[in-house]
Amino acid sequence: MLRKKWGNAWRSTGHPDAGPVVCVAHVDNTLRIVACGDEAMRWGLRSGQGLAEARAICPGVIVIDEDQAADQRLLEAVADWCDRYTPLVALEGRNGLFLDVTGCAHLVGGEACLLEDILKRLTQMGFEVRGAISSSPGLSWAVCRHGADRIVSDEDREDVLTPLPVAALRLDPKTVAALHKLGLKCVGDLMRTPRAPLVMRFGPEVLLRLDQARGDDEEAISPRRPVASLSAERRLAEPIQSEEDILFLTRQIAKSLLSGLEARGVGGRLFELVLFRVDGQVFRLPAGASRPLRDAERITALFSQRLAALQDLEAGFGFEILRINVLHHQPFENIQSDLAENDRRHLALSTFVDQVSARFGPNCLQTYQLRESHIPERAERFVPAAEALGRQMPKAPQMLSRSERPVRLFRVPEPLESFAAEIPDGPPTRFRWRRLTHQVARAEGPERLSPEWWLDDEAAATRDYFRLESTAGYRFWIFRKGLYERDAQQHWFMHGLFA
């Protein structure tokens, strides 16, 4: 709210003449304060207070309406920025984040340096932020919101948790109010109370939250993004801006992935280039490959096309961290070249498909995939070419009929405007399609196709297909929907054209 009003660096520059600012929203059909600035809190305003009461206390208060969608986007942007510390970042409510920094703290000098760096950087970006590190998410949440910024060791866990209010256990307001009526106002009071009466009175939620905060009950966080199977990055002393520098470093990072891919015996199918800008904005550029890749040049070529197609990549003051994530991989097969160089031709096709798909999107090149169905329009489907090249094409299903199929098959059969046919099962002798009347010279059929009862509803009808040749030499593939002895009405459709 204040960053949007005065800029990202408003905390460092200061706005003493700005006046108190509050954010309000409709709560129980009443405008209430949901967030307060520092100046507003000095006036005695607080969250949950009615707007009318706040204006009575401070007539000059600046009121801004809450925008939950914008708040969520901002929280997700901060979570993206926190990926520089750990890939395990989870959203916590509307204004919090959980970071699992296990095994990551040593990269920035330890837990103390990590916590100091996060708080300092976010404060410089204009956020009011608090943080804590402990062995359990519940304890970190409690200390962060009801204590002071600190690192809690396992030995000090009980001493730190005891004086905190019961609201620090992430309980709902009604439960907190009921505990206060019983005189249980801090966590230490709950620890000294017998557990059985608490469960009988409030259910298992209170003790579950208490055990999670104490570390007696394991609590896992759910990362907002899938963790990459392999990752490599470069942290730069000087930010870079040009596309040439980005591609040069991308090539170097891709080369560093080679040893990890070889050790696993795999190649990457889906890569992600992550660009961390100095002002905190994060850009994620995915690029897929039709075959497992290890070659740094081909990986760089994919991102070269992605950068060429991207229109909104604003470098600003530059990027300070570049990272490549391998999001999906497959076994890598080393194939020996033959004298005909068939593998080279296949590799050239794969390279072409990868680069075109990276620039214009995965659906720009498509091919068909066979399916197990005897209904003509269901017997195949279109898939991205990069996806089809990455796996062995299935064999054609065994058809019950070996009759000739048309060269051009309409995706949606077109109804005939009028027709004259022999009863009951004969082919049409004349029909009108697309405002032209055709006289039938030769006919072959019928070829009967029953509906797929496991997919179709009860209204689906049997089809009788005919191959027709008109007096003008045109050849058609039409069908009658419905049978004379079963259905009250029958309809004729054009489904394809022969060469």
Side-chain angles (χ1 to χ4, degrees):
M1 176 176 65
L2 300 181
R3 294 172 75 247
K4 183 177 180 180
K5 186 176 181 62
W6 297 319
N8 295 352
W10 72 273
R11 288 190 178 275
S12 58
T13 57
H15 291 270
D17 56 342
V21 180
V22 297
C23 185
V24 299
H26 284 276
V27 180
D28 297 332
N29 296 324
T30 303
L31 279 176
R32 295 188 178 276
I33 298 176
V34 294
C36 299
D38 296 337
E39 184 67 20
M41 289 189 289
R42 282 192 285 269
W43 275 83
L45 306 183
R46 66 185 185 279
S47 297
Q49 194 174 38
L51 180 59
E53 181 182 355
R55 281 178 169 163
I57 298 175
C58 180
V61 64
I62 301 174
V63 179
I64 300 177
D65 293 331
E66 181 189 32
D67 188 346
Q68 294 187 8
D71 292 341
Q72 183 66 22
R73 290 193 299 269
L74 179 60
L75 184 62
E76 292 179 353
V78 177
D80 278 338
W81 178 86
C82 289
D83 279 352
R84 66 182 59 213
Y85 298 104
T86 173
L88 301 177
V89 181
L91 302 180
E92 198 290 310
R94 295 173 54 188
N95 57 357
L97 296 174
F98 277 135
L99 277 67
D100 188 347
V101 297
T102 305
C104 302
H106 70 280
L107 299 176
V108 290
E111 294 181 348
C113 295
L114 185 145
L115 181 60
E116 180 183 0
D117 188 66
I118 292 178
L119 299 181
K120 181 180 178 181
R121 286 174 176 263
L122 290 177
T123 301
Q124 291 174 349
M125 294 181 188
F127 295 102
E128 181 180 358
V129 59
R130 304 178 69 178
I133 297 179
S134 71
S135 58
S136 65
L139 179 58
S140 298
W141 192 96
V143 175
C144 181
R145 296 181 181 269
H146 296 275
D149 301 332
R150 61 173 299 176
I151 299 174
V152 183
S153 62
D154 293 341
E155 294 78 11
D156 300 333
R157 186 163 46 195
E158 297 286 343
D159 297 335
V160 171
L161 193 59
T162 299
L164 297 181
V166 292
L169 297 179
R170 296 176 290 174
L171 301 174
D172 60 90
K174 293 183 178 179
T175 303
V176 173
L179 290 172
H180 285 178
K181 290 181 180 180
L182 296 178
L184 305 175
K185 298 183 177 181
C186 62
V187 179
D189 297 334
L190 289 178
M191 294 180 181
R192 293 186 291 268
T193 303
R195 298 172 68 92
L198 288 176
V199 174
M200 294 178 61
R201 181 73 178 269
F202 301 101
E205 180 71 15
V206 174
L207 293 183
L208 174 63
R209 291 301 190 184
L210 177 61
D211 292 340
Q212 288 176 343
R214 299 174 64 179
D216 297 334
D217 195 324
E218 290 290 337
E219 179 182 5
I221 67 173
S222 300
R224 54 188 295 268
R225 291 184 176 275
V227 180
S229 57
L230 194 62
S231 180
E233 69 177 31
R234 290 290 186 274
R235 296 176 180 262
L236 308 176
E238 293 292 336
I240 60 174
Q241 296 177 321
S242 66
E243 182 176 332
E244 292 77 10
D245 292 338
I246 294 176
L247 292 177
F248 175 78
L249 285 176
T250 299
R251 185 178 297 105
Q252 301 301 317
I253 300 173
K255 289 180 180 179
S256 65
L257 289 172
L258 179 60
S259 60
L261 293 173
E262 288 180 342
R264 293 168 172 81
V266 298
R269 283 292 308 276
L270 180 59
F271 299 89
E272 182 184 50
L273 176 62
V274 188
L275 305 173
F276 294 84
R277 208 166 66 179
V278 293
D279 63 350
Q281 189 168 356
V282 180
F283 297 88
R284 297 180 180 274
L285 308 179
S290 58
R291 301 176 65 186
L293 292 185
R294 291 180 182 175
D295 184 30
E297 296 297 333
R298 292 190 61 189
I299 296 174
T300 305
L302 294 180
F303 290 114
S304 175
Q305 298 298 327
R306 291 289 292 124
L307 291 174
L310 200 60
Q311 302 294 332
D312 57 347
L313 182 62
E314 178 59 46
F317 291 104
F319 301 102
E320 59 180 347
I321 301 178
L322 277 74
R323 177 186 300 163
I324 295 181
N325 295 326
V326 181
L327 301 181
H328 179 60
H329 60 76
Q330 285 183 351
F332 186 86
E333 297 182 3
N334 294 314
I335 302 176
Q336 178 67 35
S337 302
D338 58 11
L339 296 178
E341 296 187 346
N342 291 323
D343 61 320
R344 290 183 178 272
R345 288 195 291 268
H346 188 72
L347 183 61
L349 175 62
S350 176
T351 303
F352 169 77
V353 171
D354 291 345
Q355 294 187 4
V356 173
S357 300
R359 182 156 189 168
F360 300 106
N363 294 322
C364 65
L365 296 177
Q366 293 186 332
T367 185
Y368 71 91
Q369 181 184 35
L370 299 178
R371 304 175 65 187
E372 293 286 348
S373 176
H374 63 266
I375 303 299
E377 61 267 26
R378 295 177 182 170
E380 62 185 30
R381 68 185 181 99
F382 284 95
V383 296
E387 179 183 343
L389 289 176
R391 60 171 180 261
Q392 185 179 3
M393 294 296 293
K395 296 182 179 180
Q398 186 69 28
M399 304 297 293
L400 296 179
S401 173
R402 298 183 179 274
S403 60
E404 185 181 357
R405 289 292 184 258
V407 175
R408 182 184 178 189
L409 185 71
F410 298 145
R411 182 168 295 182
V412 178
E414 299 181 7
L416 302 183
E417 300 173 6
S418 63
F419 58 90
E422 302 175 2
I423 297 177
D425 296 327
T429 58
R430 185 183 68 255
F431 63 90
R432 183 177 177 82
W433 174 58
R434 293 185 178 180
R435 297 184 294 181
L436 292 177
T437 301
H438 300 272
Q439 191 72 29
V440 177
R442 297 179 181 85
E444 185 179 358
E447 176 190 352
R448 181 160 294 180
L449 298 181
S450 300
E452 296 178 336
W453 55 266
W454 57 94
L455 294 177
D456 299 317
D457 54 16
E458 296 180 355
T462 302
R463 299 180 182 182
D464 280 346
Y465 278 86
F466 295 88
R467 291 190 301 278
L468 307 179
E469 183 177 342
S470 68
T471 55
Y474 299 109
R475 300 180 65 198
F476 307 97
W477 201 45
I478 69 173
F479 69 89
R480 180 183 60 237
K481 186 177 182 180
L483 302 177
Y484 284 98
E485 62 270 18
R486 298 181 185 177
D487 304 301
Q489 292 183 348
Q490 298 80 38
H491 303 278
W492 289 84
F493 294 88
M494 178 69 66
H495 205 165
L497 301 176
F498 292 93

